[in-house]
Amino acid sequence: MILASKSPRRFEILSNFGIKKIEVVVAEIEEVSDKEDLVEQVVDIAVKKGIEIAKKYPNEFVVSADTVVILDGKILGKPKDCSEAFSTLTSLSGKTHEVVTAYSLINKSKEIFISSFDKTVVKFKKISKQEIDWYIETGEPMDKAGSYGIQGVGAGILIDRIEGEFYNVMGFPISKFVDDLKEHGIKIQNIIEL
């Protein structure tokens, strides 16, 4: 299987699921979409990543994904710097937001094309400036959509509760992915043994 993502969290989720051979090949695309709906934008970008890599590896199963945080109708991406991380975390404080992860599974030679997404609702605690500063100093916010990681040190001070799949917030909704495989008649064993 080829993972069209440099996210160490996606690699970890798929590896922990039992997929034995995963090669990471990053899609060098401009991550933009002309879709109007925010969820459709995320799906569009995930699919573009998968298609780009599937062209080069037509006989392989290619998994791609994209994760965003949506607050008040706006996408919060990865922060460019500490100042942006601070601003993002301040805006999330005490509020509820959605995490959307879109993904695709493509195998051109087998004519397999699956594209879907999952949403998880996350409620942040009210967090102080000092807590935000401390969290930014850990370095954890810098490569994550919404400037936080649910699986890391931030979960304890930032997150009040979640509704939906934990792994979706981490970057890949493995439960939804497995359901989609079954729905399309793809045996999980065939994916795991690749």
Side-chain angles (χ1 to χ4, degrees):
M1 172 182 283
I2 293 176
L3 175 60
S5 170
K6 62 185 173 192
S7 165
R9 291 158 298 279
R10 290 188 186 116
F11 184 88
E12 177 186 343
I13 292 166
L14 291 167
S15 295
N16 288 344
F17 179 64
I19 297 174
K20 295 174 179 34
K21 287 184 358 187
I22 303 172
E23 181 182 351
V24 174
V25 181
V26 179
E28 299 296 332
I29 66 160
E30 189 175 1
E31 294 189 23
V32 295
S33 173
D34 59 1
K35 306 288 185 193
E36 286 191 32
D37 180 77
L38 295 180
V39 173
E40 287 180 13
Q41 288 177 24
V42 183
V43 172
D44 188 39
I45 290 168
V47 168
K48 286 177 180 177
K49 290 178 185 178
I51 289 171
E52 182 68 23
I53 300 304
K55 284 186 221 170
K56 299 172 187 168
Y57 300 90
N59 298 319
E60 301 286 339
F61 282 93
V62 176
V63 173
S64 62
D66 194 48
T67 301
V68 297
V69 169
I70 300 175
L71 175 68
D72 299 330
K74 286 177 49 182
I75 290 178
L76 304 177
K78 296 175 185 174
K80 295 181 185 74
D81 54 31
C82 292
S83 175
E84 192 170 298
F86 185 89
S87 176
T88 297
L89 291 165
T90 300
S91 70
L92 291 170
S93 177
K95 294 183 181 169
T96 299
H97 62 273
E98 289 182 327
V99 178
V100 176
T101 299
Y103 57 90
S104 69
L105 174 70
I106 302 170
N107 184 306
K108 287 179 76 87
S109 66
K110 295 183 187 299
E111 297 182 350
I112 293 172
F113 180 90
I114 298 171
S115 171
S116 193
F117 69 92
D118 199 16
K119 281 185 188 181
T120 303
V121 175
V122 180
K123 170 77 166 78
F124 256 41
K125 296 176 182 178
K126 186 80 175 145
I127 46 179
S128 69
K129 177 187 181 311
Q130 291 76 20
E131 288 169 321
I132 294 171
D133 286 338
W134 171 83
Y135 184 57
I136 290 170
E137 284 176 22
T138 69
E140 194 170 279
M142 300 320 296
D143 67 339
K144 296 172 183 72
S147 301
Y148 75 94
I150 193 167
Q151 72 284 0
V153 297
I157 66 161
L158 303 176
I159 297 170
D160 181 37
R161 67 181 176 276
I162 70 167
E163 297 169 23
E165 186 180 347
F166 171 86
Y167 291 108
N168 184 54
V169 183
M170 196 170 156
F172 195 80
I174 193 73
S175 178
K176 176 89 166 58
F177 180 70
V178 169
D179 290 346
D180 283 343
L181 293 179
K182 288 184 208 172
E183 192 176 301
H184 287 82
I186 300 171
K187 293 183 179 171
I188 298 164
Q189 295 82 354
N190 293 348
I191 297 291
I192 289 177
E193 293 165 5
L194 292 173

